[in-house]
Amino acid sequence: MIKRLLQSLCLLLVVLGFNACSSDDNSNMTGDEQTFVTFWINDPQDAKIEEIKQMTIYLTELNSNKKTELVYEGDKKIQKALPTGTYDITVEGVITHKVNGVVEESKVGNFIKGVVISGREMTKAIDIVFKTSSTGFVIEEVFFAGTKTPQGLQYTDDQYFKITNNSDEVLYLDGMLFVQSKFMTNDKQDYTPNIMSEALSAGAILQFPGKGKDHPVEPGKSVIFAENAINHREFNSNSIDLTNAEFQNFRDGVHDVVGLKAAKMITIHDELVVNIQGSYAYALVKMPEGMTTEKLVVDNIYDYEYEMIFGGEAYPSVDSAIKIPNSWIVDAVNLGIADEYMWNVTSPSVDMGYTYITQHVGDEGRYGKAVRRHVLGKNAAGNNVLKDTNNSTVDFAPAVRPSLFKY
Amino acid sequence: MLKHFTIITRPTQLTIIILSLFIHFLSYGQNTRSPISIKVQNEYGVAIPTAVVMIKSDKESVLELTDEAGEVAFKLVPDNYLLEVQHISYSFYSQKLNTLTHNNFTVALKAETNQLEEVVITAKEGTGLTSTSVINRRAMQHLQPSSFADLMELVPGGRAQDPYLGGVNKIQLREVGRVGSNIGGVGNKQYDTSSLGTLFVVDGAQLNSGANLQYTYGYMDNVSSGVNKNINISSGVDMRTISTDQIEKVEIIRGIPSVEYGNLTSGVVKITKKSGYSKWQARFKADGYSKLFAVNKGFESKDSSFKVNVGLDYLNAKPEPRNDLESYKRVTGTVRVSKDKNLNNGGLFSWVSNLSYTGSIDDAKSDPDIDLTGANKYKVDNKFYSLSNIVTYESRNESFFRSIELQTTFNQRFDKINQTKFVQLEAATALPLSTVDGEYDGFFPTANYIAESVVDGKPLDIFAKVVSAFRYNMSAISTDIRAGIDWQYSKNNGRGQVYDIYKPLDPKSTYRNRAYKDIPAYVTTALFAEHISSAKFGQHGLTLALGARGSIMQNLSNDFTMSGKMYIDPRVNVQWTLPSFMVANKEAKVDLTLGWGQQRLFPDLNLLYPEKYYRDVQQLNYFHSNPDYRTVNYKTTVFDPQNKALTPALNNKIEARLDLNLGFHQLTFTVFKERMSNGFRTMNQYGIFDYKRYDTSNIDHDHIMSTPNKEDLPYEQFNENFLYNVSRNGSRTDKEGIEFQYSSNRISVINTRITISGAWFRTEYGNSLPTYRRGNSNANVNGKPYPYLGLYDEMEPKSKYEQLNSNLLLDTYIPKLDLQFSTSFQFNWYYLAKNEPMNGMPSYYVGVDGELRPYDAEEAKGTLLEQLVIPQHSNADKSRRTPMLMDVNLKLSKSFRNKQITVSMFANKLFTYYAPYFVNGTKVNRKGLRDPYFGMEINFNL
């Protein structure tokens, strides 16, 4: 114990000593030498800057601890005469760039350590990377439409969700909830009381299995949550092999078959039947400390009523859902059919828009298509940064080829 | 009268007449004869052919028919004669005539007002002991129906409906009904007892079957609701299968029928077929939905004692005119033979035999643009053969014994539902196979296959009935007694739902086949006696009918509640005829009729012997990527939903009727109340079962060499409860209302009769027994079904429907043009639907252990049990009311060539007015929602 304490003290002394040295260095270099620096802004990886909306470079001279702020004025460069020295550089800004031909606005930034600025003139290229707006899991892709068999019939068991760690750290899915909304995006009713501003009304609630650290997801990496983790090509040659999915839906029904490798989701409330038209919202939810699924299904019951208008008559109806406070929601996406879409079934603070596969009901072209989040670019670690502005209309690319359909 | 007349018109008869005239001429030939010609015409100067002209004097009498020019010529000895001219459509004409002064004589016949009055194109309200609608041939002809269902427009409260030939047409007497509607209680199969309990009798032969089991298992699982509309188990006779072309008359007994009719709750539809001579009659009808062709002919012997009637008709319907793939076809053929014989002792012996065939086919094919396999087909094919015989002996002496009648009916149906389907598994699936309790391996069906299924039903119904009638007079009271015995045997000899269990139509189904022929027969016997006394007390008349019918269901095992029990239906009808009096030179008559009665209906085979319920749970499902290592094991638990406590459904009816007659004005009011609290329905029963769940997670899936043996695997044991359907006497249908009809005389100037008929109905539906439900929502909780079941008062909200309908019909008959047209203004003054709020609080609850415990709402707070309380809408009892709507229907028929050809057309909903209304502040404008329905037909009478 004493030995440990002594070690710590020694370390402290060493640090203090270094500190004294650097101060000395600083005082040694108090000359008037200036360097005229031109900072060039490089394009982020896999993207091309259309326009720099705003950008600020924060410089900290390490010896004098003197701070300088340079504001971008145009021409993809910032020029300034700076005292010669060693600088830490932080860049922050907003740029526009094209994603799939559409101009997007994104936050960018970077941190560059220990840049020596010396000489009469100097040019320094500044690399920028996209900044992640969310720092957790996102639903990257939803494949809900199913496929068509060679005989032209529908096959739906190959649906899947792709969940991606859009942060810079390892995250764990253990104990998180996967929620399907109770309300449908193509059926707007005056549900009373209206709790949408504070909570999502959940129908099916599933829980990811695990004791806490059983299901880690590395930054930028994804997991597949499949309707059924088997090789669907056995039943439909136009489908895919989902044997390697990490999770699968498990409905305790009579006839269901489940894959052997994927972990079964735990059904907490109702059962998840993924609608082949979309028409629901899906959310990833992290319960706060102290909340359990047992408590959730008892304490958070939400009884509501509405008058269903049908054929010129109003039918008073009642139903129940489970309240999921908006603050628990990590990510959410509203799905619909463009022609039928009526409203979002989440609060705008969670999702302001919706995404779709088809324009109209019965579109045969929907089979084998998915919705997928736009990739903004690569971050500093070389991982894709997914667009997450809490607006599925702009965050998602509608009707794209699912990422697992590789052949 | 028509009958006699037409006999005379036949060539053989004419020959005889001419011959006899010739004899007359011979015998009186020595006298000087002068010719006399008589021309017969109507008020408008149009010649009347085939009028019977008779000239008689003290010495001779001659008879001749007018020719096409309306003329007839005689040669007569001058004398004083009496000239008599008769024609069915005109008043009798007679005049004294001296042939010396007249030799050309024109007779103008007056169209008989009586006859005009008899042209009734609406249902006539019967004046008998109970409320009855009588629909005659003329009314049917004017209505231009496609099937019997269309006649329901003529019953009080009825409205013209577009023919609905794509699905079963159930009869809903005195019920607020909407065809094809499945909302709430209306048209709901839980409230079918009313239509199941409406008896259809064709010339004494019952149509209702006790052994109809035609449905596909999708119907029971409620999977493919699209085809359910063609299925009518436990819902009575499908009215679209009855053709109207061989019908002479229909009587719809809405009130309390005679005890002669039993095993019913709601009423009797009595159909009388055409009998006796008729010309060749053909009818061709076409409308937007169907084409119909019918032909019939009646033959008769000279003395009218032997009659043969034959008829054939064909209907081809496209229920949805834009859909070429769905069709309904009906073929009906009938032969009716009757023979009367006067016996030496003065008695009359008669025999009527009816042989009929009805084939109906619902056909649906898949759209080749959608179904690329082209394999999918659906066909409901029903063949119905009926042979009925009625043998009657009638005494013509004034003896106590009056008559005895023996009726026998054999109805054999051959019903098939053929389905072929290309099944593509939408998800990997496993299926159980075992038909008995226990743990058995299932199998994995292939990804796609062609499934074929036949539902083979052969219901055989045999009815036998003996009725004897007696009469005696005691002072001023004359009494009729009718007594008899009624026996029914129904058995289904079909094979049931036959299919390859490895290739089921629906890979999600839990159905297991059973052969219908293994189901015991349905046998009932009933004894009935009725005592009808009529008496005159001065000017007053009183008729009292007292009847009782005792019925018993046989061939039941002893543990059925109904076994060995006789159920007695008492029925009383009394009619008081007030003294008639004169108003405006017309005789006015007032009748007051009261009735009370009980009607009971036995449950049919489908309700008595329901299918077993199979609960299959996967205990092990090892779906390895190598098919050789796959295995699936089920625990099958079988539940028998048979309810041995079923009792007959009982409908208590009470009604009062007022008939006012003034000349040809007729006004009728009927007030009725019907209460049936034990109609048949399915209700939830709970069962418990246990199963194991094997854990395969410890198996090294990549290195196994054989299927895992479940004995080596760890498992967990679970208990669960679940709900299944049991037939129970739990359906309440209460009907009340006022029916009214007024018909005027035919206003002579405009030849128009006004008929106003209609009804106000209120019908209430609800379950009358408590039921089990899984509470608030059927949601799973923490991976298992919600573990509690509650016992609730309500299965669904009690609902109340009301409507007031009235039809104003103006029918005009212009004899000069032989043109008949009618305009019907059909009003629905309002329609109201209202649900009573439910009590969402259970009285008891059941956990997974199957034990029933009382429910304490306070204790349940904050636990899962709290979700057994079903929240109720604060506006649950808000009524939905739609305001007035009106359709104007036009019908027109015109005869040509002396009624040989009649051309008719109709346009329903030609004009409509649908009042707009507001729902939750939104204006609902119903304008243009209904398309007119047009059709036309041509009738030949050659």
Side-chain angles (χ1 to χ4, degrees):
Chain A
M1 187 69 205
I2 292 169
K3 195 175 173 188
R4 176 76 47 97
L5 194 69
L6 282 173
Q7 273 176 356
S8 304
L9 275 172
C10 285
L11 200 68
L12 194 69
L13 283 171
V14 171
V15 171
L16 285 171
F18 271 117
N19 209 14
C21 285
S22 63
S23 289
D24 287 352
D25 286 349
N26 199 19
S27 58
N28 290 343
M29 296 182 71
T30 50
D32 295 335
E33 299 99 284
Q34 278 201 3
T35 309
F36 187 77
V37 198
T38 305
F39 294 106
W40 285 103
I41 313 297
N42 278 348
D43 285 334
Q45 195 179 343
D46 297 339
K48 191 173 183 327
I49 296 171
E50 292 283 314
E51 189 192 348
I52 297 171
K53 286 277 186 187
Q54 64 160 85
M55 189 160 284
T56 311
I57 298 179
Y58 303 91
L59 299 136
T60 308
E61 207 289 314
L62 293 178
N63 292 307
S64 61
N65 209 19
K66 188 180 174 199
K67 290 186 166 64
T68 314
E69 255 183 60
L70 306 178
V71 177
Y72 172 76
E73 278 162 351
D75 244 3
K76 277 197 175 182
K77 59 185 180 191
I78 298 172
Q79 291 180 315
K80 181 77 182 173
L82 290 170
T84 304
T86 307
Y87 288 85
D88 276 354
I89 303 172
T90 303
V91 190
E92 271 180 14
V94 178
I95 63 159
T96 61
H97 61 113
K98 276 189 179 159
V99 179
N100 298 338
V102 180
V103 177
E104 295 277 353
E105 204 174 273
S106 299
K107 281 184 186 171
V108 289
N110 207 353
F111 177 70
I112 308 159
K113 205 173 160 51
V115 177
V116 177
I117 292 178
S118 59
R120 282 187 71 82
E121 262 183 78
M122 179 179 166
T123 303
K124 172 74 188 160
I126 302 287
D127 289 330
I128 53 171
V129 292
F130 290 104
K131 284 186 78 172
T132 316
S133 46
S134 79
T135 50
F137 286 114
V138 291
I139 299 171
E140 180 183 347
E141 183 180 333
V142 188
F143 172 58
F144 55 88
T147 44
K148 215 170 187 184
T149 66
Q151 291 85 6
L153 292 164
Q154 178 174 289
Y155 185 84
T156 58
D157 211 20
D158 48 5
Q159 295 162 320
Y160 69 82
F161 297 86
K162 188 175 186 180
I163 294 158
T164 303
N165 180 353
N166 203 23
S167 78
D168 299 332
E169 52 187 334
V170 178
L171 296 172
Y172 299 89
L173 277 167
D174 301 50
M176 282 183 73
L177 305 180
F178 186 86
V179 168
Q180 176 176 273
S181 64
K182 178 82 178 189
F183 304 145
M184 298 178 83
T185 55
N186 60 357
D187 179 24
K188 185 176 182 179
Q189 303 287 354
D190 187 12
Y191 299 109
T192 314
N194 185 345
I195 57 158
M196 199 172 280
S197 61
E198 59 192 74
L200 168 72
S201 306
I205 303 174
L206 307 185
Q207 188 175 33
F208 288 93
K211 294 190 180 71
K213 300 223 164 175
D214 295 347
H215 299 285
V217 184
E218 298 289 329
K221 292 285 179 285
S222 308
V223 293
I224 298 293
F225 161 33
E227 167 62 23
N228 191 355
I230 61 170
N231 182 2
H232 295 284
R233 294 176 60 80
E234 183 183 332
F235 295 89
N236 172 14
S237 57
N238 292 341
S239 188
I240 44 171
D241 183 359
L242 287 172
T243 323
N244 293 320
E246 281 80 0
F247 300 97
Q248 62 184 330
N249 192 6
F250 176 59
R251 280 185 274 161
D252 202 358
V254 181
H255 307 303
D256 277 6
V257 165
V258 286
L260 291 177
K261 287 182 183 163
K264 290 174 196 165
M265 296 288 275
I266 305 159
T267 305
I268 301 302
H269 185 256
D270 215 335
E271 59 177 23
L272 176 67
V273 180
V274 182
N275 189 297
I276 54 169
Q277 311 280 5
S279 307
Y280 288 96
Y282 294 93
L284 279 169
V285 171
K286 193 165 179 69
M287 289 188 291
E289 287 292 320
M291 180 48 87
T292 63
T293 54
E294 285 78 10
K295 271 182 76 170
L296 179 74
V297 293
V298 174
D299 295 354
N300 281 30
I301 283 275
Y302 161 49
D303 294 333
Y304 57 89
E305 58 181 46
Y306 60 103
E307 294 205 7
M308 191 176 70
I309 311 282
F310 177 76
E313 290 188 5
Y315 298 91
S317 307
V318 285
D319 210 339
S320 304
I322 303 285
K323 274 185 281 198
I324 302 285
N326 289 338
S327 58
W328 300 3
I329 295 172
V330 174
D331 187 38
V333 52
N334 282 278
L335 302 176
I337 304 164
D339 284 355
E340 298 242 302
Y341 169 84
M342 290 166 80
W343 68 326
N344 257 19
V345 294
T346 61
S347 155
S349 69
V350 173
D351 187 7
M352 281 178 282
Y354 81 104
T355 186
Y356 59 90
I357 286 181
T358 63
Q359 282 292 330
H360 52 88
V361 183
D363 181 356
E364 293 284 300
R366 71 178 185 272
Y367 294 108
K369 286 196 181 137
V371 294
R372 190 166 60 240
R373 224 172 255 283
H374 291 300
V375 177
L376 293 176
K378 299 274 190 211
N379 67 5
N383 294 324
N384 281 340
V385 175
L386 300 176
K387 187 169 183 194
D388 184 13
T389 62
N390 288 346
N391 181 353
S392 296
T393 309
V394 298
D395 290 351
F396 278 85
V400 294
R401 188 162 181 81
S403 56
L404 296 187
F405 283 67
K406 296 221 172 76
Y407 45 88
Chain B
M1 190 167 161
L2 181 69
K3 193 175 74 181
H4 297 300
F5 175 71
T6 49
I7 298 161
I8 292 167
T9 62
R10 274 183 290 162
T12 46
Q13 301 276 333
L14 267 178
T15 322
I16 292 164
I17 294 164
I18 291 163
L19 215 70
S20 63
L21 287 172
F22 189 59
I23 292 162
H24 281 296
F25 292 142
L26 278 180
S27 50
Y28 295 94
Q30 66 267 37
N31 296 324
T32 325
R33 286 175 177 272
S34 54
I36 174 162
S37 130
I38 294 163
K39 186 175 164 102
V40 181
Q41 61 185 44
N42 69 10
E43 296 152 279
Y44 312 100
V46 177
I48 302 172
T50 68
V52 182
V53 179
M54 192 185 226
I55 290 191
K56 47 185 180 185
S57 70
D58 304 341
K59 298 184 194 97
E60 64 177 322
S61 158
V62 289
L63 183 145
E64 186 64 276
L65 294 170
T66 54
D67 60 15
E68 286 294 318
E71 288 178 350
V72 63
F74 298 103
K75 277 195 167 152
L76 296 168
V77 176
D79 199 349
N80 280 321
Y81 287 90
L82 180 71
L83 169 67
E84 288 180 358
V85 184
Q86 288 185 42
H87 190 279
I88 171 95
S89 306
Y90 298 89
S91 333
F92 178 71
Y93 180 90
S94 78
Q95 190 191 351
K96 290 219 169 85
L97 177 82
N98 191 312
T99 50
L100 277 177
T101 50
H102 292 82
N103 52 15
N104 265 319
F105 202 80
T106 303
V107 173
L109 291 187
K110 223 177 139 201
E112 184 161 358
T113 37
N114 261 342
Q115 192 274 330
L116 263 184
E117 293 294 349
E118 275 163 20
V119 178
V120 175
I121 57 157
T122 54
K124 204 97 180 139
E125 198 59 23
T127 50
L129 279 168
T130 189
S131 50
T132 309
S133 301
V134 183
I135 301 163
N136 64 18
R137 182 79 230 137
R138 193 79 187 230
M140 278 185 261
Q141 204 172 352
H142 191 67
L143 191 73
Q144 305 165 44
S146 293
S147 78
F148 188 87
D150 298 340
L151 302 184
M152 299 315 290
E153 174 188 347
L154 300 175
V155 177
R159 288 173 62 77
Q161 303 271 9
D162 291 357
Y164 173 62
L165 295 164
V168 170
N169 286 210
K170 299 172 195 167
I171 189 163
Q172 292 182 311
L173 289 177
R174 290 177 160 176
E175 217 169 328
V176 181
R178 286 185 165 185
V179 170
S181 160
N182 262 317
I183 299 160
V186 183
N188 186 322
K189 69 174 179 176
Q190 304 295 7
Y191 296 94
D192 270 350
T193 309
S194 180
S195 61
L196 178 67
T198 303
L199 188 66
F200 281 72
V201 180
V202 182
D203 277 346
Q206 185 177 329
L207 271 185
N208 304 54
S209 172
N212 179 18
L213 295 162
Q214 282 312 97
Y215 56 86
T216 59
Y217 54 70
Y219 178 72
M220 298 310 270
D221 290 356
N222 285 321
V223 176
S224 45
S225 57
V227 299
N228 292 348
K229 59 188 178 139
N230 297 324
I231 285 165
N232 70 327
I233 46 161
S234 301
S235 62
V237 171
D238 181 0
M239 291 191 286
R240 72 187 163 138
T241 61
I242 304 173
S243 140
T244 59
D245 283 286
Q246 277 106 48
I247 298 177
E248 185 60 44
K249 190 176 80 171
V250 177
E251 278 175 82
I252 298 173
I253 304 174
R254 312 185 310 271
I256 296 138
S258 155
V259 288
E260 195 182 318
Y261 301 103
N263 210 2
L264 59 94
T265 58
S266 296
V268 183
V269 176
K270 270 172 80 179
I271 295 170
T272 309
K273 284 197 173 173
K274 285 180 183 169
S275 169
Y277 173 79
S278 77
K279 294 181 178 179
W280 279 102
Q281 294 172 331
R283 173 174 174 233
F284 178 76
K285 176 191 174 181
D287 64 23
Y289 302 92
S290 62
K291 287 188 252 320
L292 185 149
F293 179 71
V295 59
N296 57 74
K297 166 81 181 146
F299 304 94
E300 192 169 294
S301 69
K302 279 176 212 164
D303 59 353
S304 301
S305 68
F306 183 66
K307 298 168 186 167
V308 177
N309 288 72
V310 292
L312 188 71
D313 76 74
Y314 174 70
L315 171 79
N316 188 351
K318 296 251 179 281
E320 170 57 66
R322 284 157 291 195
N323 180 359
D324 237 14
L325 301 161
E326 204 184 332
S327 70
Y328 173 72
K329 291 188 184 74
R330 183 189 69 207
V331 180
T332 313
T334 63
V335 181
R336 185 188 193 275
V337 181
S338 70
K339 170 81 186 150
D340 294 341
K341 193 171 168 55
N342 285 303
L343 301 175
N344 293 333
N345 64 0
L348 173 72
F349 172 84
S350 68
W351 164 67
V352 180
S353 185
N354 252 308
L355 176 67
S356 70
Y357 165 79
T358 303
S360 59
I361 296 170
D362 279 296
D363 212 346
K365 292 186 189 75
S366 55
D367 187 342
D369 293 339
I370 293 166
D371 172 24
L372 297 176
T373 61
N376 296 352
K377 280 188 213 95
Y378 177 81
K379 189 171 165 185
V380 178
D381 184 350
N382 296 333
K383 291 187 177 71
F384 170 49
Y385 297 89
S386 173
L387 172 66
S388 69
N389 281 288
I390 303 177
V391 181
T392 316
Y393 171 73
E394 238 176 275
S395 166
R396 292 205 167 154
N397 304 325
E398 283 296 314
S399 58
F400 175 60
F401 170 78
R402 301 303 303 163
S403 70
I404 183 160
E405 190 175 294
L406 169 68
Q407 303 174 358
T408 55
T409 305
F410 295 86
N411 288 348
Q412 175 69 63
R413 290 173 165 88
F414 297 95
D415 297 341
K416 277 207 161 82
I417 303 174
N418 288 296
Q419 266 178 290
T420 306
K421 192 175 171 191
F422 181 87
V423 177
Q424 165 69 48
L425 299 186
E426 287 192 16
T429 299
L431 276 172
L433 291 170
S434 171
T435 54
V436 291
D437 279 308
E439 300 185 4
Y440 296 94
D441 284 350
F443 80 108
F444 297 99
T446 52
N448 52 52
Y449 54 86
I450 289 177
E452 288 186 51
S453 155
V454 178
V455 185
D456 176 58
K458 294 191 182 99
L460 167 69
D461 295 274
I462 303 173
F463 305 93
K465 188 169 177 175
V466 182
V467 193
S468 307
F470 307 93
R471 177 179 292 164
Y472 66 92
N473 292 311
M474 257 168 76
S475 61
I477 303 168
S478 86
T479 302
D480 282 293
I481 297 171
R482 282 172 77 78
I485 181 164
D486 198 346
W487 181 78
Q488 178 179 357
Y489 169 92
S490 299
K491 175 95 173 78
N492 198 318
N493 293 308
R495 288 176 300 145
Q497 308 195 19
V498 185
Y499 65 97
D500 180 354
I501 52 167
Y502 293 96
K503 292 177 174 179
L505 275 178
D506 174 12
K508 299 270 178 215
S509 166
T510 61
Y511 179 82
R512 313 288 208 281
N513 175 46
R514 65 162 177 173
Y516 295 157
K517 56 183 174 218
D518 298 341
I519 299 168
Y522 167 105
V523 185
T524 62
T525 304
L527 298 165
F528 58 87
E530 191 173 35
H531 187 275
I532 306 169
S533 300
S534 304
K536 283 244 175 236
F537 303 103
Q539 296 269 297
H540 294 263
L542 196 67
T543 307
L544 172 71
L546 289 169
R549 183 186 173 95
S551 39
I552 183 161
M553 181 156 231
Q554 289 144 306
N555 201 31
L556 287 177
S557 66
N558 289 332
D559 42 356
F560 274 92
T561 306
M562 289 187 292
S563 169
K565 271 214 184 88
M566 179 172 272
Y567 293 91
I568 311 269
D569 289 0
R571 294 175 204 169
V572 185
N573 285 300
V574 57
Q575 188 168 47
W576 177 28
T577 308
L578 274 72
S580 64
F581 51 94
M582 301 300 281
V583 175
N585 282 334
K586 283 182 179 136
E587 194 188 19
K589 282 190 268 185
V590 180
D591 286 341
L592 192 65
T593 313
L594 298 171
W596 171 82
Q598 294 194 332
Q599 287 92 341
R600 279 183 176 81
L601 170 74
F602 285 114
D604 70 0
L605 279 188
N606 172 54
L607 296 159
L608 285 170
Y609 303 99
E611 257 161 30
K612 289 200 171 74
Y613 195 94
Y614 296 84
R615 182 73 190 181
D616 308 288
V617 188
Q618 277 184 12
Q619 303 200 110
L620 168 69
N621 188 344
Y622 193 74
F623 192 79
H624 196 273
S625 50
N626 180 348
D628 293 341
Y629 300 155
R630 290 175 188 172
T631 181
V632 59
N633 183 271
Y634 283 92
K635 171 76 182 282
T636 298
T637 317
V638 187
F639 293 87
D640 191 350
Q642 189 177 50
N643 179 8
K644 291 186 168 159
L646 273 182
T647 56
L650 166 64
N651 191 16
N652 277 299
K653 253 191 217 190
I654 183 160
E655 67 168 23
R657 192 175 90 237
L658 178 72
D659 292 305
L660 295 167
N661 282 282
L662 179 67
F664 286 105
H665 295 267
Q666 198 191 10
L667 178 67
T668 306
F669 270 101
T670 311
V671 182
F672 67 89
K673 242 180 196 192
E674 298 187 19
R675 295 274 175 273
M676 178 169 67
S677 60
N678 64 344
F680 308 117
R681 67 170 298 151
T682 56
M683 296 189 87
N684 291 340
Q685 181 56 275
Y686 74 88
I688 55 162
F689 61 96
D690 58 78
Y691 61 94
K692 297 171 190 146
R693 180 135 291 161
Y694 292 96
D695 181 8
T696 57
S697 58
N698 295 330
I699 298 174
D700 181 359
H701 307 306
D702 297 331
H703 296 99
I704 62 161
M705 302 302 288
S706 66
T707 47
N709 184 358
K710 71 180 164 81
E711 315 304 330
D712 306 336
L713 294 170
Y715 66 85
E716 262 187 285
Q717 182 94 29
F718 294 96
N719 284 326
E720 259 181 50
N721 54 26
F722 83 111
L723 296 168
Y724 61 101
N725 285 334
V726 175
S727 297
R728 296 182 71 182
N729 290 95
S731 175
R732 177 193 297 279
T733 306
D734 291 344
K735 305 178 194 174
E736 58 188 47
I738 300 167
E739 296 164 321
F740 53 90
Q741 178 158 3
Y742 161 76
S743 57
S744 76
N745 65 337
R746 205 170 274 285
I747 300 162
S748 52
V749 188
I750 49 171
N751 281 324
T752 299
R753 185 208 307 274
I754 299 167
T755 309
I756 299 168
S757 71
W760 172 79
F761 289 147
R762 172 189 282 162
T763 318
E764 291 182 51
Y765 303 96
N767 59 295
S768 53
L769 292 173
T771 188
Y772 292 95
R773 291 170 70 184
R774 204 175 281 282
N776 194 346
S777 60
N778 264 346
N780 284 7
V781 172
N782 292 321
K784 290 277 163 228
Y786 178 74
Y788 302 113
L789 302 168
L791 182 65
Y792 299 86
D793 288 344
E794 287 101 354
M795 182 93 180
E796 65 263 326
K798 288 188 171 59
S799 51
K800 181 173 85 179
Y801 296 84
E802 270 179 36
Q803 70 179 20
L804 175 61
N805 282 353
S806 75
N807 297 346
L808 167 66
L809 181 82
L810 306 173
D811 77 275
T812 307
Y813 179 57
I814 303 171
K816 192 178 173 184
L817 301 172
D818 209 348
L819 175 75
Q820 181 151 26
F821 65 87
S822 71
T823 315
S824 176
F825 298 84
Q826 306 200 329
F827 294 88
N828 170 248
W829 295 98
Y830 78 100
Y831 169 86
L832 181 136
K834 187 176 157 79
N835 284 349
E836 260 181 51
M838 291 202 289
N839 170 18
M841 188 68 74
S843 49
Y844 286 86
Y845 76 96
V846 182
V848 291
D849 55 359
E851 206 174 305
L852 202 61
R853 298 182 184 88
Y855 186 80
D856 184 337
E858 284 304 311
E859 243 173 62
K861 285 232 163 78
T863 69
L864 265 186
L865 266 174
E866 195 179 0
Q867 290 175 39
L868 277 180
V869 183
I870 302 172
Q872 299 304 316
H873 196 284
S874 51
N875 283 339
D877 57 346
K878 193 167 130 185
S879 56
R880 310 187 297 276
R881 190 186 170 103
T882 48
M884 197 266 267
L885 58 90
M886 182 197 63
D887 297 327
V888 180
N889 304 338
L890 285 184
K891 291 191 169 68
L892 188 76
S893 52
K894 162 103 179 92
S895 299
F896 300 95
R897 295 181 64 90
N898 197 25
K899 292 194 190 294
Q900 286 190 323
I901 299 169
T902 307
V903 177
S904 315
M905 60 86 59
F906 63 91
N908 284 357
K909 293 175 290 182
L910 192 59
F911 306 104
T912 56
Y913 175 70
Y914 287 41
Y917 61 100
F918 288 86
V919 173
N920 285 6
T922 312
K923 189 172 179 182
V924 179
N925 199 339
R926 298 178 287 173
K927 212 168 158 182
L929 279 181
R930 313 286 157 131
D931 296 326
Y933 164 50
F934 292 97
M936 61 186 302
E937 65 173 49
I938 183 161
N939 283 267
F940 296 96
N941 193 15
L942 303 170

